[in-house]
Amino acid sequence: MNIIEVKNLDFEYPITDDEGNVIGGNKVLKDINLVIPKGQFVAVLGHNGSGKSTLAKHFNGILVGNSGKVYVNGIDTADDDKIYDIRQTVGMVFQNPDNQLVATIVEEDVAFAPENLGLPPEQIRERVDEALNAVDMYKYRLHSAHQLSGGQKQRIAIAGVIAMRPECIVLDEPTAMLDPKGRKSVMKTIKRLNSEFGITIVLITHYMEEAAQAERVVVMDNGSIIMDDVPKKIFSQVDRLNEVGLDVPQVTQLAYELKKEGIDISLEVLTEEECAEELMKIMNKT
Amino acid sequence: MLKDITIGQYFPGDSIIHRMDSRFKIVLDILYVVMLFIADNFISLAIAGLFIIMAYGVSGIKPIMMVKSLKPLLPLILFTAVLNLFFVKGTDEPLVQWWIITIYWEGISTAIYMIVRIICLIIGMSLLTYTTSPIVLTDAIERLLSPLKKIKLPVHELAMMMTIALRFIPTLIEETDKIMAAQKARGAELDTGGLMKRAKALVPVLIPLFVSAFKRANELAMAMECRCYRGGDGRTKLRQLKAAPFDYMIFFLMLTVLGFIIVDNMVF
């Protein structure tokens, strides 16, 4: 079963002159085809301006393409009557946690989405508690949102989406404004949602270390998908990634440099443990 | 300087005041203000003062917070007092007559009554925000105003705007501090010079603040849409407002006191 299907999607932002007349278009997405099966953890990688955030906004009908289609659970996102079903199925988390929280008190913010869905109060309470437990923030439920750290705020924003019980969560650079500690806690939460609750995750990012933790990596450049594979296969193509302005995880870089010096090491290493293992193998051989 | 603002501050707690129906709290507060301004003798003002101090007592809010809420309005209180002191004319002989200043006994008493009234008014209003979460407060306002929907007043939208404004006050204050620091680092003189010069110096602070506020509004609107926001129709609430017998009890007590003060004024 596929949760998101993108077919021949094109999108352009109109360019206007000083008087507001449309004088052309800035093509951001070019003929995108992408299928995301249920339960997958996909990372979308690309540098600034590659179109990755624009693509993400098509997944729940915030933007609708100029041509081509996006289907969520088989429903066309251009269908205005079904738009709330789509938004409930595919939740979205943005970069700046401060600009996503609506209410002052944590639990009231998490309740925002179920309130919009018109659920009875007992069910709202149940969902709020469930969502706060899922991101491990239950004990902060009565705190003011502005007193929390960036990572905690972002986890509240995630809880606010989980309270809709979505099947898929799209996260648009959720860690870009966080400190390393907050980044770690958010990544841990995302992975847990995927493995424990079976929620499909689409993580838009430009951090290689985060993309390496996904099951599948989609690389975008200049409005097109240029690579789509498991992380190991993607990151072993060091030259190709450098060409489009992306780095590889540090351990992969190390393996790459060693290989250039004539050492027979696999480039399919993503974590420090894997790298150490590979190095051990080589040292044992000699 | 911006950190001193206590309006909209909320202290979570579990006292009977916290648990009261917020609609009743608002109505009570309005009645209390009416009571303060009807009361014009010592006994009735003393009752009003005692009433609010007792309310603070049971609410568990620290008494220091009463003082804190008064601090920003101190100039206003003094101004009103001085005005009353000098300009209220009495029937008896003036107590002091010197140059253009004449002070009557009535002036002194009106000034003192005015001070007590304003102090009670402010701490009374503060008690409402101290013990009621902003969301519940706006919720209550929405409910109280809901009859006005019939004359096409966008009640839900107004309440939502208030919620968001309250949510963003700390965020924007933080941002203002940051921009001020950034402009100071570039040589802007924000704390020196005359009034005009200072006002002009604020322009480079306000423009980035506005730009960022609009950007935030845009992102927030998108995030709200993603969370299925579609206006007030069909929306439910996590917290239901339920009036308990206690709310009615306090309400009738308030009416009784108010009635007593009115009678008291008519008799004396």
Side-chain angles (χ1 to χ4, degrees), chain A residues 225-272:
Chain A
I225 292 176
I226 55 164
M227 291 163 153
D228 181 355
D229 213 328
V230 294
K232 283 186 180 175
K233 294 269 188 272
I234 297 275
F235 290 117
S236 55
Q237 302 177 50
V238 181
D239 295 320
R240 182 95 198 274
L241 285 171
N242 286 339
E243 245 171 65
V244 297
L246 293 172
D247 295 323
V248 294
Q250 279 180 351
V251 285
T252 319
Q253 188 73 35
L254 175 68
Y256 176 73
E257 298 292 339
L258 288 172
K259 190 153 194 165
K260 265 209 303 206
E261 297 299 318
I263 295 164
D264 181 31
I265 183 170
S266 162
L267 285 182
E268 294 185 6
V269 290
L270 291 174
T271 61
E272 281 152 29

Short mmCIF file of all heavy atoms in Angstrom, two decimals, chain A residues 225-272:
data_model
loop_
_atom_site.label_atom_id
_atom_site.label_comp_id
_atom_site.label_asym_id
_atom_site.label_seq_id
_atom_site.Cartn_x
_atom_site.Cartn_y
_atom_site.Cartn_z
N ILE A 225 14.33 14.96 -8.95
CA ILE A 225 14.89 13.90 -8.13
C ILE A 225 16.05 13.29 -8.90
O ILE A 225 15.87 12.83 -10.04
CB ILE A 225 13.82 12.84 -7.81
CG1 ILE A 225 12.76 13.45 -6.88
CG2 ILE A 225 14.45 11.61 -7.16
CD1 ILE A 225 11.60 12.54 -6.58
N ILE A 226 17.26 13.31 -8.34
CA ILE A 226 18.39 12.78 -9.09
C ILE A 226 18.87 11.43 -8.55
O ILE A 226 19.54 10.69 -9.25
CB ILE A 226 19.57 13.77 -9.14
CG1 ILE A 226 19.98 14.20 -7.73
CG2 ILE A 226 19.21 15.00 -9.98
CD1 ILE A 226 21.32 14.86 -7.69
N MET A 227 18.54 11.12 -7.31
CA MET A 227 18.92 9.81 -6.76
C MET A 227 17.81 9.36 -5.83
O MET A 227 17.13 10.18 -5.21
CB MET A 227 20.19 9.92 -5.92
CG MET A 227 21.45 10.22 -6.66
SD MET A 227 22.58 10.76 -5.38
CE MET A 227 24.09 10.35 -6.04
N ASP A 228 17.63 8.04 -5.73
CA ASP A 228 16.58 7.51 -4.87
C ASP A 228 16.98 6.08 -4.53
O ASP A 228 16.85 5.18 -5.35
CB ASP A 228 15.24 7.56 -5.63
CG ASP A 228 14.08 7.04 -4.78
OD1 ASP A 228 14.33 6.55 -3.66
OD2 ASP A 228 12.94 7.13 -5.25
N ASP A 229 17.50 5.88 -3.32
CA ASP A 229 18.02 4.55 -2.98
C ASP A 229 18.17 4.42 -1.46
O ASP A 229 17.85 5.34 -0.73
CB ASP A 229 19.38 4.35 -3.67
CG ASP A 229 19.59 2.89 -4.07
OD1 ASP A 229 19.09 2.00 -3.34
OD2 ASP A 229 20.26 2.66 -5.08
N VAL A 230 18.69 3.29 -1.01
CA VAL A 230 18.99 3.14 0.42
C VAL A 230 20.21 4.01 0.75
O VAL A 230 21.05 4.26 -0.14
CB VAL A 230 19.25 1.67 0.81
CG1 VAL A 230 17.98 0.84 0.63
CG2 VAL A 230 20.39 1.08 0.01
N PRO A 231 20.33 4.49 2.00
CA PRO A 231 21.40 5.43 2.34
C PRO A 231 22.80 4.96 1.92
O PRO A 231 23.59 5.74 1.40
CB PRO A 231 21.29 5.55 3.85
CG PRO A 231 19.91 5.20 4.17
CD PRO A 231 19.45 4.24 3.14
N LYS A 232 23.10 3.66 2.14
CA LYS A 232 24.44 3.17 1.84
C LYS A 232 24.82 3.36 0.38
O LYS A 232 25.94 3.74 0.06
CB LYS A 232 24.57 1.69 2.19
CG LYS A 232 24.71 1.51 3.67
CD LYS A 232 24.97 0.08 4.05
CE LYS A 232 25.10 0.02 5.56
NZ LYS A 232 25.23 -1.31 6.07
N LYS A 233 23.84 3.09 -0.49
CA LYS A 233 24.11 3.21 -1.93
C LYS A 233 24.24 4.69 -2.32
O LYS A 233 24.99 5.04 -3.22
CB LYS A 233 22.96 2.57 -2.73
CG LYS A 233 22.87 1.07 -2.52
CD LYS A 233 23.69 0.34 -3.57
CE LYS A 233 23.46 -1.17 -3.51
NZ LYS A 233 24.34 -1.86 -2.57
N ILE A 234 23.46 5.55 -1.64
CA ILE A 234 23.51 6.98 -1.96
C ILE A 234 24.85 7.57 -1.54
O ILE A 234 25.56 8.20 -2.33
CB ILE A 234 22.37 7.74 -1.24
CG1 ILE A 234 21.00 7.28 -1.70
CG2 ILE A 234 22.55 9.26 -1.41
CD1 ILE A 234 20.46 7.92 -2.93
N PHE A 235 25.22 7.32 -0.29
CA PHE A 235 26.39 8.01 0.24
C PHE A 235 27.71 7.47 -0.28
O PHE A 235 28.74 8.11 -0.15
CB PHE A 235 26.36 8.02 1.77
CG PHE A 235 25.28 8.92 2.31
CD1 PHE A 235 24.24 8.40 3.06
CD2 PHE A 235 25.30 10.27 2.03
CE1 PHE A 235 23.23 9.22 3.54
CE2 PHE A 235 24.30 11.11 2.50
CZ PHE A 235 23.26 10.58 3.25
N SER A 236 27.66 6.26 -0.88
CA SER A 236 28.90 5.76 -1.45
C SER A 236 29.24 6.48 -2.76
O SER A 236 30.36 6.40 -3.25
CB SER A 236 28.83 4.24 -1.66
OG SER A 236 27.70 3.93 -2.43
N GLN A 237 28.25 7.21 -3.31
CA GLN A 237 28.53 7.98 -4.53
C GLN A 237 29.02 9.38 -4.17
O GLN A 237 28.36 10.38 -4.45
CB GLN A 237 27.27 8.08 -5.39
CG GLN A 237 26.73 6.70 -5.78
CD GLN A 237 25.44 6.83 -6.57
OE1 GLN A 237 25.37 7.57 -7.54
NE2 GLN A 237 24.42 6.10 -6.16
N VAL A 238 30.17 9.42 -3.55
CA VAL A 238 30.68 10.68 -2.98
C VAL A 238 30.84 11.77 -4.04
O VAL A 238 30.44 12.92 -3.83
CB VAL A 238 32.01 10.42 -2.25
CG1 VAL A 238 32.53 11.72 -1.65
CG2 VAL A 238 31.82 9.37 -1.17
N ASP A 239 31.41 11.40 -5.20
CA ASP A 239 31.66 12.41 -6.24
C ASP A 239 30.37 13.05 -6.74
O ASP A 239 30.27 14.25 -6.92
CB ASP A 239 32.40 11.78 -7.43
CG ASP A 239 33.77 11.30 -7.02
OD1 ASP A 239 34.41 12.04 -6.25
OD2 ASP A 239 34.19 10.21 -7.45
N ARG A 240 29.38 12.19 -6.96
CA ARG A 240 28.09 12.66 -7.48
C ARG A 240 27.44 13.64 -6.50
O ARG A 240 26.92 14.68 -6.90
CB ARG A 240 27.21 11.43 -7.70
CG ARG A 240 25.86 11.67 -8.28
CD ARG A 240 25.83 11.49 -9.78
NE ARG A 240 24.67 12.12 -10.39
CZ ARG A 240 23.49 11.53 -10.52
NH1 ARG A 240 23.32 10.29 -10.11
NH2 ARG A 240 22.47 12.17 -11.06
N LEU A 241 27.50 13.31 -5.20
CA LEU A 241 26.90 14.19 -4.18
C LEU A 241 27.63 15.52 -4.11
O LEU A 241 27.02 16.57 -4.01
CB LEU A 241 26.92 13.50 -2.82
CG LEU A 241 25.87 12.40 -2.62
CD1 LEU A 241 26.14 11.67 -1.32
CD2 LEU A 241 24.46 12.96 -2.60
N ASN A 242 28.98 15.45 -4.19
CA ASN A 242 29.75 16.69 -4.15
C ASN A 242 29.39 17.60 -5.33
O ASN A 242 29.37 18.82 -5.19
CB ASN A 242 31.24 16.40 -4.17
CG ASN A 242 31.71 15.87 -2.82
OD1 ASN A 242 31.05 16.08 -1.81
ND2 ASN A 242 32.84 15.18 -2.81
N GLU A 243 29.11 16.96 -6.48
CA GLU A 243 28.74 17.71 -7.67
C GLU A 243 27.50 18.59 -7.44
O GLU A 243 27.43 19.71 -7.94
CB GLU A 243 28.36 16.71 -8.78
CG GLU A 243 29.26 16.71 -9.98
CD GLU A 243 28.91 15.53 -10.87
OE1 GLU A 243 27.78 15.51 -11.38
OE2 GLU A 243 29.76 14.61 -10.99
N VAL A 244 26.52 18.08 -6.68
CA VAL A 244 25.29 18.85 -6.45
C VAL A 244 25.36 19.63 -5.14
O VAL A 244 24.36 20.12 -4.62
CB VAL A 244 24.02 17.96 -6.46
CG1 VAL A 244 23.84 17.34 -7.82
CG2 VAL A 244 24.06 16.92 -5.37
N GLY A 245 26.57 19.76 -4.61
CA GLY A 245 26.76 20.62 -3.44
C GLY A 245 26.40 19.99 -2.12
O GLY A 245 26.09 20.68 -1.17
N LEU A 246 26.43 18.65 -2.05
CA LEU A 246 26.13 17.97 -0.79
C LEU A 246 27.36 17.25 -0.27
O LEU A 246 28.19 16.80 -1.05
CB LEU A 246 24.99 16.97 -0.99
CG LEU A 246 23.62 17.55 -1.32
CD1 LEU A 246 22.66 16.43 -1.68
CD2 LEU A 246 23.08 18.34 -0.14
N ASP A 247 27.46 17.16 1.06
CA ASP A 247 28.56 16.41 1.66
C ASP A 247 28.06 15.02 1.98
O ASP A 247 26.89 14.72 1.85
CB ASP A 247 29.01 17.09 2.95
CG ASP A 247 29.61 18.46 2.67
OD1 ASP A 247 30.30 18.58 1.64
OD2 ASP A 247 29.38 19.37 3.48
N VAL A 248 28.97 14.18 2.42
CA VAL A 248 28.57 12.86 2.89
C VAL A 248 28.87 12.82 4.38
O VAL A 248 29.61 13.66 4.89
CB VAL A 248 29.33 11.74 2.15
CG1 VAL A 248 28.94 11.72 0.68
CG2 VAL A 248 30.83 11.90 2.30
N PRO A 249 28.29 11.86 5.13
CA PRO A 249 28.64 11.75 6.55
C PRO A 249 30.16 11.62 6.72
O PRO A 249 30.84 11.09 5.83
CB PRO A 249 27.93 10.47 6.99
CG PRO A 249 26.80 10.33 6.04
CD PRO A 249 27.28 10.88 4.74
N GLN A 250 30.66 12.10 7.85
CA GLN A 250 32.11 12.16 8.05
C GLN A 250 32.81 10.81 7.90
O GLN A 250 33.87 10.74 7.31
CB GLN A 250 32.41 12.75 9.43
CG GLN A 250 32.33 14.25 9.41
CD GLN A 250 32.64 14.85 10.75
OE1 GLN A 250 32.75 14.15 11.76
NE2 GLN A 250 32.77 16.16 10.78
N VAL A 251 32.17 9.74 8.40
CA VAL A 251 32.83 8.43 8.31
C VAL A 251 32.91 7.97 6.85
O VAL A 251 33.91 7.36 6.44
CB VAL A 251 32.13 7.35 9.17
CG1 VAL A 251 32.44 7.56 10.63
CG2 VAL A 251 30.64 7.33 8.94
N THR A 252 31.88 8.29 6.07
CA THR A 252 31.92 7.93 4.65
C THR A 252 33.04 8.71 3.96
O THR A 252 33.75 8.18 3.10
CB THR A 252 30.57 8.23 3.97
OG1 THR A 252 29.52 7.84 4.85
CG2 THR A 252 30.44 7.49 2.67
N GLN A 253 33.17 9.97 4.35
CA GLN A 253 34.24 10.81 3.79
C GLN A 253 35.61 10.20 4.09
O GLN A 253 36.47 10.13 3.22
CB GLN A 253 34.14 12.21 4.40
CG GLN A 253 35.06 13.25 3.79
CD GLN A 253 34.61 13.69 2.39
OE1 GLN A 253 33.43 13.77 2.13
NE2 GLN A 253 35.56 13.95 1.51
N LEU A 254 35.74 9.70 5.34
CA LEU A 254 37.00 9.07 5.73
C LEU A 254 37.31 7.87 4.84
O LEU A 254 38.42 7.73 4.31
CB LEU A 254 36.92 8.65 7.20
CG LEU A 254 38.12 7.86 7.75
CD1 LEU A 254 39.36 8.73 7.83
CD2 LEU A 254 37.79 7.28 9.13
N ALA A 255 36.28 7.01 4.67
CA ALA A 255 36.46 5.82 3.83
C ALA A 255 36.83 6.22 2.40
O ALA A 255 37.68 5.60 1.76
CB ALA A 255 35.17 4.99 3.84
N TYR A 256 36.19 7.28 1.93
CA TYR A 256 36.43 7.77 0.58
C TYR A 256 37.88 8.21 0.42
O TYR A 256 38.57 7.87 -0.56
CB TYR A 256 35.47 8.93 0.31
CG TYR A 256 35.65 9.61 -1.02
CD1 TYR A 256 35.24 8.99 -2.20
CD2 TYR A 256 36.19 10.89 -1.09
CE1 TYR A 256 35.37 9.63 -3.42
CE2 TYR A 256 36.33 11.54 -2.30
CZ TYR A 256 35.93 10.91 -3.47
OH TYR A 256 36.06 11.54 -4.66
N GLU A 257 38.37 8.98 1.41
CA GLU A 257 39.76 9.45 1.35
C GLU A 257 40.74 8.28 1.39
O GLU A 257 41.73 8.26 0.68
CB GLU A 257 40.06 10.42 2.51
CG GLU A 257 39.21 11.69 2.53
CD GLU A 257 39.51 12.63 1.37
OE1 GLU A 257 40.61 12.54 0.79
OE2 GLU A 257 38.61 13.45 1.05
N LEU A 258 40.42 7.28 2.23
CA LEU A 258 41.29 6.11 2.34
C LEU A 258 41.35 5.36 1.02
O LEU A 258 42.40 4.92 0.57
CB LEU A 258 40.81 5.19 3.46
CG LEU A 258 41.03 5.70 4.89
CD1 LEU A 258 40.33 4.80 5.89
CD2 LEU A 258 42.52 5.80 5.21
N LYS A 259 40.17 5.26 0.39
CA LYS A 259 40.09 4.52 -0.87
C LYS A 259 40.93 5.23 -1.94
O LYS A 259 41.60 4.60 -2.76
CB LYS A 259 38.63 4.43 -1.33
CG LYS A 259 38.46 3.46 -2.50
CD LYS A 259 37.08 2.89 -2.53
CE LYS A 259 37.04 1.69 -3.46
NZ LYS A 259 35.86 0.89 -3.27
N LYS A 260 40.87 6.57 -1.90
CA LYS A 260 41.65 7.34 -2.87
C LYS A 260 43.14 7.08 -2.72
O LYS A 260 43.90 7.12 -3.68
CB LYS A 260 41.38 8.85 -2.67
CG LYS A 260 40.30 9.38 -3.60
CD LYS A 260 40.45 10.84 -3.98
CE LYS A 260 40.50 11.79 -2.80
NZ LYS A 260 40.05 13.15 -3.09
N GLU A 261 43.56 6.77 -1.48
CA GLU A 261 44.97 6.47 -1.21
C GLU A 261 45.30 5.03 -1.53
O GLU A 261 46.39 4.57 -1.23
CB GLU A 261 45.30 6.77 0.26
CG GLU A 261 45.15 8.23 0.64
CD GLU A 261 46.06 9.17 -0.14
OE1 GLU A 261 47.23 8.81 -0.35
OE2 GLU A 261 45.57 10.24 -0.58
N GLY A 262 44.35 4.29 -2.08
CA GLY A 262 44.63 2.94 -2.51
C GLY A 262 44.29 1.85 -1.52
O GLY A 262 44.66 0.70 -1.70
N ILE A 263 43.60 2.20 -0.44
CA ILE A 263 43.22 1.18 0.53
C ILE A 263 41.88 0.58 0.12
O ILE A 263 40.95 1.31 -0.24
CB ILE A 263 43.14 1.79 1.94
CG1 ILE A 263 44.53 2.25 2.37
CG2 ILE A 263 42.57 0.79 2.94
CD1 ILE A 263 44.54 3.17 3.55
N ASP A 264 41.78 -0.72 0.15
CA ASP A 264 40.57 -1.40 -0.31
C ASP A 264 39.52 -1.42 0.79
O ASP A 264 39.40 -2.38 1.55
CB ASP A 264 40.93 -2.83 -0.75
CG ASP A 264 39.69 -3.54 -1.26
OD1 ASP A 264 38.81 -2.85 -1.81
OD2 ASP A 264 39.61 -4.76 -1.09
N ILE A 265 38.74 -0.31 0.90
CA ILE A 265 37.71 -0.23 1.94
C ILE A 265 36.36 0.03 1.27
O ILE A 265 36.28 0.73 0.25
CB ILE A 265 38.06 0.88 2.97
CG1 ILE A 265 37.01 0.92 4.10
CG2 ILE A 265 38.19 2.24 2.31
CD1 ILE A 265 37.41 1.79 5.26
N SER A 266 35.31 -0.57 1.84
CA SER A 266 33.97 -0.34 1.28
C SER A 266 33.52 1.07 1.60
O SER A 266 33.76 1.59 2.69
CB SER A 266 33.01 -1.36 1.89
OG SER A 266 31.70 -0.91 1.70
N LEU A 267 32.83 1.71 0.66
CA LEU A 267 32.31 3.06 0.91
C LEU A 267 30.95 3.02 1.60
O LEU A 267 30.41 4.04 1.97
CB LEU A 267 32.20 3.83 -0.40
CG LEU A 267 33.50 4.34 -1.01
CD1 LEU A 267 33.23 5.12 -2.27
CD2 LEU A 267 34.28 5.18 -0.03
N GLU A 268 30.41 1.81 1.76
CA GLU A 268 29.07 1.70 2.34
C GLU A 268 29.12 1.70 3.86
O GLU A 268 28.61 0.79 4.51
CB GLU A 268 28.37 0.45 1.80
CG GLU A 268 28.11 0.58 0.31
CD GLU A 268 27.32 -0.59 -0.24
OE1 GLU A 268 26.87 -1.43 0.56
OE2 GLU A 268 27.14 -0.65 -1.46
N VAL A 269 29.77 2.70 4.44
CA VAL A 269 29.79 2.82 5.89
C VAL A 269 29.12 4.14 6.26
O VAL A 269 29.37 5.17 5.66
CB VAL A 269 31.23 2.78 6.46
CG1 VAL A 269 31.81 1.40 6.31
CG2 VAL A 269 32.12 3.81 5.78
N LEU A 270 28.22 4.07 7.24
CA LEU A 270 27.48 5.28 7.62
C LEU A 270 27.67 5.64 9.08
O LEU A 270 27.60 6.79 9.46
CB LEU A 270 25.99 5.08 7.35
CG LEU A 270 25.58 5.00 5.88
CD1 LEU A 270 24.11 4.66 5.76
CD2 LEU A 270 25.86 6.31 5.17
N THR A 271 27.90 4.64 9.92
CA THR A 271 28.06 4.93 11.34
C THR A 271 29.49 4.66 11.75
O THR A 271 30.26 3.98 11.05
CB THR A 271 27.14 4.06 12.20
OG1 THR A 271 27.49 2.68 11.98
CG2 THR A 271 25.69 4.26 11.83
N GLU A 272 29.86 5.20 12.92
CA GLU A 272 31.21 5.00 13.44
C GLU A 272 31.50 3.52 13.66
O GLU A 272 32.60 3.06 13.40
CB GLU A 272 31.39 5.79 14.74
CG GLU A 272 31.64 7.26 14.46
CD GLU A 272 31.17 8.17 15.57
OE1 GLU A 272 31.15 7.72 16.74
OE2 GLU A 272 30.81 9.31 15.26
#
